[in-house]
Structure formats: structure tokens, C-alpha cells
Amino acid sequence: MSIDPQDIETHSHESRWFEPSPEFVAKARVRSAEEYEKLYRESLDSPETFWKRETGDLVFRSPWKELVEWKLPHARWFEGATLNASESCLDRHLSTDRKDAPALIWESEPGETRRMTYGELHQKVVELAAALRGLGVKKGDRVAIYMGMVPEVVVAMLAAARIGAPHTVVFGGFAAESLRDRINDCAAKVVLTQDGAYRRGGVVPLKATVDRAVEATPSVEKVVVFRRLGQSVLPIEMKEGRDLDWDALVKQADPEAGAPESVDAEHPLFILYTSGSTGKPKGVLHTTAGYLVGAHVSTKYVFDLRDSDVYWCTADVGWVTGHSYLVYGPLSNGATCLMYEGAPNHPDWGRFWQIIEKHKVTILYTAPTAIRAFIRQGTDWPKKSDLSSLRLLGSVGEPINPEAWVWYHTNIGQGRCPVVDTWWQTETGSILLTTLPGAHKMRPGSTGLPFFGVVPEIVNKAGEPVGREKGGLLILRRPWPSILRTVWGDDERFRKQYFSEIQGAYFTGDGARQDKDGYFHVVGRIDDVLNVSGHRIGTAEIESALVSHPSVAEAAAVGRPDELKGQALVVFVTLKPNNEPNEAMKKALTEHVAQEIGKFARPDAVRFAESLPKTRSGKIMRRLLKDVAAGRESTGDTSTLEDYSVIARLREED
Ligand code: PRX
């Protein structure tokens, strides 16, 4: 642990309450704190009754025999059930009016719109599923997806799910090396990609990155390429025998071969890589029934979805939010989802608000880092558009500061829309802490209360509850349906990472406190994981990228508080002899990290040091470097520091 839980602020400075409007409450699914409390109690005291009722609209081909089996650290849910996730998201709507209702409304960065009904999306998924089967992809084989924000990425995920092939979506901002490592870790058989995507007026060459990655991925047999841009915009090379054109492949496929595979509840649905406190990303494994139930039920209650809603989750499909709240949660609920290809500031900072006006978006789910960026640009931008269609706002990914919350509520929600601040993680699969929009009053900066079936607690290092208004470690006492099942290929790491810190409980890695009213405030990571603009970055990953540069002897990465990004990434580097610590070197190292991991992980500042502060046993003292990076005095214990002059020298260079 790099932060002592005692350092977590114990005081809640925010005491304001905001109430949902009576109009919102009148139409909400859960209308009062008492109603929530009743359901919450039922979810803990009579879980069988609760989950049976709440999953009644999902398609289980056979019912479960045992709700949950909890043999620490492994949870199994809905044992005995068989199902198919794509059937629950698509086929089940075909016998209803939703068949002809839009599942996806796609807005491209240049401004085109595509609409796809549930019937059409189903058709495309069936065709691609058949095509994948034709390529020899079998139940259990892994399929890697490296695409941008186009409807076909949803088709890709659901087609893989349809044939029981776990998918691993790799965010399109990752560099070839990161993509290669992820493909190799799960030994994917096929890669689904696209020629390129539009981003900030430019073109992201996705296929070219795949070409570099698959030079060293022995498991990959085929690369299927969706033509988003076309050869005239972005010429790509197709390697004979390996690369296949998506459209041509789908045309040849026999749709009869696209029937859904029946899988067991615990069959792997997807692997999603995320950063931890070591250099190697973890392949978080989610399984079919539990994950789907978590995403489905939370979407229904937290976003209070209706068929008339146009729901927009701005997250990229490469992150867990895109999985749970752009694909599985909303589609299993039959929602109409807006999907946007590009950047929030293209061609200008009014783009989000224009999209809301154009498509009459009713629910917006976005990240604090975007909200802070909008705040900087001023209220004139949102004022230019008609935002009256909005009825609910959401926030996810990092703590939202009360000022940003109030700005969002006032300027985007126009005081009319409740804001749900949702806390969860790649590992939790679905939202675990939140308010319910029609049931609860809201406190800016607080994520609220536990979702159904969730038992959070704030404890000290010994696992003892700390009580209200005290900082501590956020843990979960009971398993919930969408808890990760393991780390792909490394069950020991799974056990160690999540279940060794506090006996008998899942440790989130987050520090938090509960205020006097019982509302949870999640403060941030207490391990060596950073949250930069809502992207989760392991400091060890950055450090191993840096030391792979021939000039670098040693490196340490830390976070510095940043108004816009939440945290900024600062790296301290010791160079090998005969290397000059100059501007050119800073640039070279920054580019090197972008090359190794991806542009989003570029350090915000590179600082050279003759040596790094270490304990007598040789461990880098990141806590001290954090203080140096933030320009503040160190108050903690420095008695284990081996050489006091190191810190003094670093400060002088400030
Ligand atoms: O530190 C918490 C922060 O993001 C971490 C999870 O990151 P990731 O797995 O990338 O998933 C992001 C999307 C769910 C958490 O451990 N975090 C997420 N949501 C919040 C948050 N911190 C405070 N408030 C939130 N609402």
C-alpha cells in the first residue's frame, strides 16, 4: 500500500443536499429511500426471491439450481442455468415492438448518422457469428477486438458472445506492443479490427497497428477488417491468407450457422485487461450469467431506463464502462443507445451539446474529466444547444469534486436532472455504489449508497470497521453477481491482489469514508495505480516502459493532483552514464512511453534525478516523490530513507 489509510481525509466538507424533482420521482421505478431500503434488505435477506424476480426478463434457457456458491476467493452464481448473452440482448426483443426500434443511433465524428434497429443489429450479429464459426472459431476460443466506436464493434462483441467465444476488447488508443501482449496473454485466435477511425479530425490507423502487433502473436490465425474509412481515405495492406474483408466474409456466411450457443452460467464472457500494481496488466475475467445480471439490473435501476429514452454513455467500448453500460446493460434492457465516434471537442467544444439536441438524448453518462474540461470552456457552449430532452445525468470513473458536480447539475442538467455518481471498477463489472435517481437525495462528491446485494464497509488495515467520518479501506463483504472470477491465467495473482489484504473480504484498492449520513465518499486509489483523465494506469507499467529505453537506468512514476485530469503523471528518471538530461531526452522518453503503451499514457512531466529516494532495503519511496511532484513538504515518516540529500536535491531542481 503506498498510502496509509490514516492519511485519507476524515471530514466531509460538503453538507449540501440536492433533491430529485417531484416530476422525476413520480415516474421513477424506486420513488423513496424507504422503497430502496425495502428492496436492499430483501436483496440481502432473501436473495433468492430478489434475484429471481429481477432476472425474470433475461432469457435463461434453463433455470439456476444454486444462487451463489462462495468458496473464498471464488464465487459462482446461478449454477445450473444455461443462457446466451447475445440472445438476452437481442433475440428476446424480436418478438416485441422493440424489433423495429433503434438499438443504436450512431453519430460519426464528421457528422453522419446511422440507425440500427434491434432487428437489424440481430441480423448483423447472426451473420458475423456464422462467419466466425466458418473460420473455425469454437466455443471457448478467444477473439480479440481492436476497433473504434462504430456499431460494428458492438456487432463484434455480441457475435463472439453468440458462439461462446470470450472476447477481449483492447482500447484503440493502445500501442502495438500493448495490443500484442494482451493478444498473447489470452492466446486469441482471431483479431477483429477496422482500417481506421476518425478522431479529432485526424485518422487513427488501427489496422496498421494490428499489423505490427500480430508480427509476434503465434495464436492469431485470421484478422478480419471492417472498412470504416475505405482505401481512398486510408490505404491499408491486406496480408494474403491472414487478412479477410469483413463484408465479403459476412456475405459468404450461412446465417443458419449463426444460432446462439447455449453456455453454462459460469462460461467466460470476456476478458478485459486493466492496470494493477505490477508492470503486467491483469486479464479480468467475467462470466456469462453473473456479469449479465449485474449489468442488466444495475442499468435498469440506476438509469431508470424506459423505452422512450435515448441513452448516451460516452465511454469507449475498450473500457469496462463501454462493456457494461454501452453494450450489455442497455441492450439487455432494450434501450436505444447513442454511440459517438469522435472527440468531445471536435470540431468545437459544443459538440456534445449539439449531439444531445440533434438526437434528443434523455440520459447522459460521462466522466468527471470531461466535465472539468467543459467547465474550462465556459457555459456559453452548452447554452447554444437545446438540452431540454435530458432527464438524468451520470458520472463515473473517478471522484467528482463537488464544484464540478454542481456545475454539471446546474448547467447541463439545468437543475432538473438528478445526477448519479456511480462507483465501480473493471473488476466489479457493474455499479456497486450510487444513489437511485428517484429515491435518494444527492450529495455532491458522494457516490451514495450500496446497490442491491452489495455490502461495502470501510475498515482499517486490521480489517476493523472505522465508523463514520473516518478514512479507511473500502472492502466488500459479500460476493455480488458480476464480481470478477479470476485473473486470466493467474489465479494466484487474483487471490493475492483482492483477497489477501483483508481476511475474508474483497479489497477494492480504494480509500473511502462514510459521512455522518452513511453516504460513501470514494477518495481514490491507495495502491500504485493512477487515475489520469479517468484512465487507469499502473505506475509499474510506466516504469517498465521507461527502463526499456536504452538511456534509462531507473525510473519512478507518481501522480500529481491536477485540476483537469484528476491526476497528472510525473516520472522521475535516472539516466545511464554518458546520457544528457536535456529537453531532447525528455521528449524522447515521453514518445517512448507513447510507443510502448499508448498516447494516453504519455507522462505530463519528466524530471531527471541523480538518484531516487530509497529505503535502506532499496525500495523506492514513492510517497516522497509524490510530495516533490506536488511541490509540498513531506509530513510522513522519513526515518527509513537511506540518503536524505536525495530529496533535498530533487527539491532544488524544482
Ligand atoms: O478508484 C476508483 C475509480 O476508478 C477505479 C476503477 O477504475 P476502472 O477499473 O478503470 O473502472 C472505471 C469505470 C468503472 C476505482 O477503483 N472510480 C470509479 N468510479 C468512481 C471512482 N472513484 C470515485 N468515484 C467514482 N464514482
Side-chain angles (χ1 to χ4, degrees):
M1 243 175 257
S2 70
I3 292 186
D4 194 314
Q6 285 162 5
D7 292 343
I8 297 167
E9 225 183 311
T10 54
H11 249 56
S12 305
H13 300 292
E14 181 60 60
S15 56
R16 280 173 290 181
W17 287 117
F18 287 74
E19 304 269 355
S21 70
E23 296 77 48
F24 191 99
V25 174
K27 292 191 194 137
R29 249 185 204 99
V30 185
R31 295 184 189 157
S32 65
E34 292 71 36
E35 260 186 65
Y36 154 83
E37 189 59 34
K38 210 168 137 217
L39 283 165
Y40 179 64
R41 287 292 4 137
E42 184 192 41
S43 73
L44 300 187
D45 302 339
S46 316
E48 302 269 350
T49 317
F50 178 86
W51 291 111
K52 190 148 230 108
R53 186 184 61 242
E54 297 301 331
T55 56
D57 55 349
L58 281 174
V59 187
F60 284 112
R61 290 178 159 214
S62 53
W64 73 76
K65 295 199 176 68
E66 192 180 358
L67 181 68
V68 56
E69 181 198 274
W70 177 226
K71 282 193 188 144
L72 267 160
H74 296 112
R76 297 176 74 81
W77 281 85
F78 309 111
E79 202 80 63
T82 53
L83 73 162
N84 182 281
S86 88
E87 190 172 47
S88 298
C89 289
L90 301 173
D91 303 53
R92 84 175 187 91
H93 304 305
L94 300 184
S95 54
T96 72
D97 290 349
R98 287 180 185 144
K99 181 171 184 237
D100 300 315
L104 297 175
I105 301 175
W106 180 68
E107 166 96 3
S108 78
E109 191 176 83
E112 313 128 78
T113 299
R114 271 172 76 190
R115 280 166 185 271
M116 216 182 261
T117 64
Y118 271 92
E120 288 160 346
L121 180 60
H122 173 262
Q123 181 65 25
K124 284 187 181 294
V125 169
V126 169
E127 287 167 2
L128 186 65
L132 289 174
R133 277 200 178 118
L135 293 180
V137 182
K138 293 187 297 298
K139 183 174 170 179
D141 288 342
R142 272 79 60 208
V143 171
I145 300 174
Y146 185 71
M147 298 178 71
M149 290 287 281
V150 288
E152 280 67 20
V153 73
V154 180
V155 174
M157 291 163 78
L158 293 175
R162 197 163 186 87
I163 62 173
H167 55 71
T168 188
V169 182
V170 180
F171 171 56
F174 275 113
E177 285 72 9
S178 299
L179 174 60
R180 179 199 62 204
D181 292 348
R182 285 159 174 77
I183 292 174
N184 283 336
D185 189 76
C186 67
K189 196 168 184 176
V190 169
V191 181
L192 300 175
T193 189
Q194 65 191 65
D195 46 4
Y198 284 118
R199 183 83 192 171
R200 226 162 254 130
V203 155
V204 185
L206 295 163
K207 167 66 165 63
T209 305
V210 171
D211 288 341
R212 285 200 302 283
V214 298
E215 278 167 18
T217 55
S219 61
V220 173
E221 294 172 11
K222 298 284 180 224
V223 174
V224 181
V225 188
F226 172 67
R227 308 271 183 167
R228 153 76 185 103
L229 301 174
Q231 206 61 11
S232 57
V233 177
L234 180 69
I236 53 165
E237 281 174 29
M238 297 290 278
K239 188 171 168 187
E240 189 72 41
R242 185 197 68 192
D243 298 351
L244 300 162
D245 186 89
W246 181 302
D247 282 341
L249 188 73
V250 161
K251 265 199 203 104
Q252 287 162 15
D254 169 13
E256 293 292 307
E261 185 86 40
S262 212
V263 303
D264 290 337
E266 286 296 332
H267 184 72
L269 178 62
F270 67 84
I271 301 161
L272 185 59
Y273 287 86
T274 189
S275 295
S277 44
T278 75
K280 192 171 176 273
K282 296 176 284 203
V284 167
L285 177 71
H286 283 290
T287 55
T288 309
Y291 171 80
L292 193 64
V293 167
H296 178 75
V297 176
S298 59
T299 304
K300 179 155 83 188
Y301 282 103
V302 178
F303 299 110
D304 204 38
L305 274 184
R306 309 292 149 159
D307 282 353
S308 53
D309 277 315
V310 177
Y311 160 90
W312 183 17
C313 165
T314 67
D316 192 282
V317 77
W319 308 111
V320 74
T321 309
H323 283 58
S324 304
Y325 297 109
L326 180 67
V327 181
Y328 290 105
L331 296 180
S332 66
N333 278 287
T336 294
C337 305
L338 190 113
M339 185 177 191
Y340 170 53
E341 178 183 40
N345 58 349
H346 187 84
D348 58 42
W349 284 97
R351 187 63 188 273
F352 265 31
W353 322 126
Q354 288 154 15
I355 291 175
I356 289 171
E357 178 178 322
K358 179 171 166 188
H359 298 289
K360 303 210 166 24
V361 171
T362 59
I363 303 172
L364 174 69
Y365 189 33
T366 194
T369 187
I371 297 167
R372 291 192 298 264
F374 291 129
I375 294 174
R376 280 207 171 176
Q377 303 305 320
T379 48
D380 284 351
W381 289 110
K383 279 201 187 116
K384 283 186 194 162
S385 297
D386 176 6
L387 303 181
S388 60
S389 56
L390 284 173
R391 65 179 198 93
L392 174 62
L393 302 175
S395 171
V396 60
E398 53 181 313
I400 180 165
N401 44 313
E403 299 70 38
W405 191 102
V406 172
W407 186 92
Y408 191 35
H409 183 260
T410 310
N411 293 291
I412 308 306
Q414 302 177 332
R416 178 186 70 242
C417 309
V419 176
V420 284
D421 175 1
T422 62
W423 175 90
W424 58 296
Q425 312 178 292
T426 305
E427 294 87 340
T428 71
S430 60
I431 294 166
L432 299 195
L433 296 176
T434 182
T435 49
L436 293 187
H440 293 125
K441 49 190 182 180
M442 299 153 271
R443 170 163 281 162
S446 164
T447 59
L449 297 165
F451 188 66
F452 304 133
V454 176
V455 186
E457 210 167 275
I458 297 176
V459 298
N460 61 20
K461 278 184 184 170
E464 299 149 351
V466 295
R468 303 264 164 110
E469 296 283 7
K470 292 247 168 30
L473 314 175
L474 177 62
I475 62 161
L476 296 152
R477 283 281 179 206
R478 284 200 194 185
W480 58 99
S482 60
I483 183 175
L484 82 161
R485 297 310 198 253
T486 189
V487 170
W488 185 259
D490 198 348
D491 200 52
E492 192 40 43
R493 187 170 176 198
F494 164 70
R495 190 185 297 268
K496 201 158 165 261
Q497 178 80 38
Y498 304 105
F499 293 94
S500 66
E501 205 74 51
I502 304 297
Q503 198 63 37
Y506 169 91
F507 174 46
T508 62
D510 278 341
R513 67 173 181 275
Q514 234 180 328
D515 65 25
K516 59 182 185 333
D517 302 298
Y519 272 41
F520 284 83
H521 297 245
V522 177
V523 184
R525 307 289 308 189
I526 60 163
D527 53 10
D528 294 321
V529 174
L530 304 180
N531 196 327
V532 179
S533 298
H535 293 313
R536 187 165 149 179
I537 300 177
T539 52
E541 269 172 84
I542 303 288
E543 289 161 8
S544 73
L546 283 165
V547 294
S548 73
H549 189 278
S551 306
V552 175
E554 201 168 38
V558 297
R560 176 185 71 198
D562 184 274
E563 248 186 55
L564 197 62
K565 297 176 155 197
Q567 280 185 304
L569 175 60
V570 179
V571 299
F572 292 86
V573 174
T574 307
L575 294 174
K576 287 184 183 158
N578 306 323
N579 283 286
E580 281 298 311
N582 53 26
E583 283 305 313
M585 179 63 78
K586 281 189 184 174
K587 227 173 139 208
L589 296 180
T590 307
E591 278 318 300
H592 183 69
V593 174
Q595 273 290 322
E596 290 286 309
I597 300 177
K599 286 186 184 141
F600 69 93
R602 267 194 189 129
D604 297 278
V606 178
R607 297 182 58 170
F608 296 111
E610 270 174 48
S611 52
L612 298 174
K614 291 195 183 143
T615 62
R616 279 159 213 168
S617 60
K619 217 173 156 225
I620 295 174
M621 293 182 78
R622 282 200 185 71
R623 182 167 53 82
L624 300 183
L625 289 174
K626 262 186 226 164
D627 292 335
V628 173
R632 59 173 182 244
E633 285 301 315
S634 297
T635 48
D637 179 20
T638 51
S639 59
T640 53
L641 185 62
E642 183 224 14
D643 176 1
Y644 285 93
S645 63
V646 171
I647 283 291
R649 278 203 301 278
L650 274 170
R651 288 197 187 283
E652 275 165 25
E653 285 157 18
D654 220 348

